[in-house]
Amino acid sequence: MRTIDWAEGSIELIDQTRLPHEVVVLRVESLDHLIDAISRLAVRGAPALGVAGAFGVALLARRHQDLAVVRREAARLRASRPTAVNLAWGVDRALARLDDGPDAVLEEALAIRDDDVLACWSMGLRGADLVREQVPDRPVRIMTICNTGSLAAVERGTALGVVQTLHEQGDLEEVFPVETRPLLQGARLTTWELAQMGAPYRLLVDSAGPFLLARGLADAVLIGADRIAANGDTANKIGSFSLALAARHAGVPFIVVAPESTIDMATKSGDDIEIEDRGSDEVVNVLGTPTAAPGTRTVNPAFDVTPHELITAVVTDRRVVRLDRGETLHVVAPGARCTP
Ligand code: MRU
């Protein structure tokens, strides 16, 4: 089943806030409903947000004849999560077809959906090859954070898509997802996906990840990305930076896996990436249960930025850029996709 799709004039998406306990499909028919789903992380993950953004513009184009209204509403959608560049990218790609009418907008959104599936296949194949090249002993043990699987995209994922490919190719020993507080995407979503894949895994609390890398628990760290700046600095779920520091300390490859659409050449470095602050509630509560003294103040960045110096390589659907060898996104040109 697809994480997000278009069905009978509306958007269908798996409500990720209900996982792993139940699979509930939401039917989204209005922009406010979509923005609410995005804000609550019912739909989340950079590639899925790109598709959601494009489908959202398709909804708007079918409901409003006044194109100025569509553009104004689309700006609200575009701003609903600021760090993942794919959301803005999906909205802008769909808006670019607005003058051609609502069917053209929908056609573009469906193309983005279909393209994501192909992109994820390609990343999986390229990433698995790179991991085999980097890790002499097989099968391999992978540490990862957040959820970068099919739930973060349409059908197959980015970093977890590489894990899936390694598993399908018989080269995976075990996966170590970290829980990913505050919203537990690693615990709730990645374990659910790994169980569905039949891949062996053990869950770690976030703070165990860096120490266990130092103790040699994993052969590589694979993460997704919400935005990759032109110099390779990568915004991803909070906790990625700590894993990158530990991976460097342990001499373990740290690999970023993301589609070309996550690369934002207009953003020069990680310092220029806006980091979403998600407020206090999710820090002072765990799954709805208060865990801190009443009145506790918090700082809650949803993402961090890993400097390019700590990244071994960026794997996209169209290239592998070996940052550890001094390659850059400016110099290594995108090529053809790999096909399964
Ligand atoms: O806040 P989320 O759950 O949307 O954060 C998602 C991540 O950080 C993912 O690692 C990233 O979007 C890559 S998804 C393939």
Side-chain angles (χ1 to χ4, degrees):
M1 162 171 207
R2 286 179 166 158
T3 299
I4 179 164
D5 212 344
W6 182 263
E8 293 163 19
S10 60
I11 305 169
E12 273 188 355
L13 50 91
I14 296 177
D15 183 345
Q16 299 188 32
T17 64
R18 309 286 282 270
L19 288 169
H21 307 298
E22 50 184 357
V23 179
V24 175
V25 175
L26 284 182
R27 180 173 286 261
V28 174
E29 290 174 343
S30 73
L31 187 74
D32 284 340
H33 193 183
L34 179 60
I35 290 179
D36 177 64
I38 289 173
S39 308
R40 293 188 300 110
L41 272 55
V43 58
R44 46 146 300 281
L49 288 173
V51 177
F55 280 159
V57 177
L59 275 184
L60 288 169
R62 289 160 71 93
R63 287 200 184 20
H64 304 282
Q65 283 181 349
D66 184 344
L67 300 191
V69 174
V70 175
R71 289 202 172 87
R72 198 180 59 225
E73 291 289 274
R76 221 157 47 84
L77 172 61
R78 202 175 184 281
S80 56
R81 290 200 78 190
T83 305
V85 69
N86 296 64
L87 176 60
W89 168 87
V91 167
D92 292 347
R93 255 187 73 169
L95 276 179
R97 299 292 304 279
L98 197 55
D99 290 337
D100 302 327
D103 288 347
V105 173
L106 179 58
E107 189 182 87
E108 188 69 15
L110 294 172
I112 290 174
R113 175 201 64 187
D114 295 343
D115 204 52
D116 180 74
V117 177
L118 300 176
C120 286
W121 271 107
S122 182
M123 278 179 269
L125 293 165
R126 277 183 199 283
D129 282 347
L130 180 68
V131 169
R132 277 188 287 267
E133 186 191 310
Q134 291 280 307
V135 180
D137 296 332
R138 288 202 281 283
V140 298
R141 302 160 305 155
I142 303 292
M143 194 175 287
T144 190
I145 186 167
C146 197
N147 172 266
T148 60
S150 56
L151 290 167
V154 175
E155 275 184 15
R156 280 175 87 88
T158 61
L160 210 65
V162 175
V163 167
Q164 185 171 357
T165 305
L166 286 165
H167 179 53
E168 289 162 355
Q169 295 173 339
D171 281 331
L172 181 71
E173 181 175 325
E174 196 169 12
V175 189
F176 298 99
V178 298
E179 274 183 312
T180 322
R181 269 284 286 151
L183 294 180
L184 298 172
Q185 290 93 328
R188 294 186 304 104
L189 308 177
T190 299
T191 63
W192 185 78
E193 286 203 43
L194 289 168
Q196 292 220 326
M197 272 180 224
Y201 67 89
R202 279 181 280 169
L203 180 66
L204 313 177
V205 296
D206 294 332
S207 43
F211 171 65
L212 291 174
L213 280 174
R215 283 283 166 106
L217 187 74
D219 302 304
V221 179
L222 297 182
I223 68 159
D226 286 85
R227 189 182 296 247
I228 302 173
N231 71 345
D233 291 354
T234 294
N236 192 54
K237 181 54 58 191
I238 190 75
S240 302
F241 178 42
S242 330
L243 291 180
L245 287 166
R248 172 56 55 89
H249 181 75
V252 164
F254 185 88
I255 298 168
V256 172
V257 187
E260 284 290 325
S261 50
T262 303
I263 296 173
D264 177 12
M265 293 305 276
T267 295
K268 266 172 54 189
S269 81
D271 293 344
D272 307 313
I273 297 176
E274 181 182 350
I275 299 296
E276 177 182 0
D277 184 318
R278 292 189 55 84
S280 286
D281 272 10
E282 50 195 50
V283 181
V284 298
N285 295 285
V286 176
L287 299 175
T289 303
T291 52
T296 294
R297 297 186 307 135
T298 65
V299 186
N300 184 19
F303 303 97
D304 59 27
V305 175
T306 299
H308 63 275
E309 295 91 341
L310 295 178
I311 297 171
T312 307
V314 172
V315 176
T316 79
D317 44 320
R318 296 188 181 276
R319 53 184 158 163
V320 173
V321 184
R322 290 290 301 264
L323 301 181
D324 63 340
R325 290 185 182 158
E327 291 180 357
T328 67
L329 293 163
H330 292 281
V331 168
V332 180
R337 287 209 176 116
C338 300
T339 48

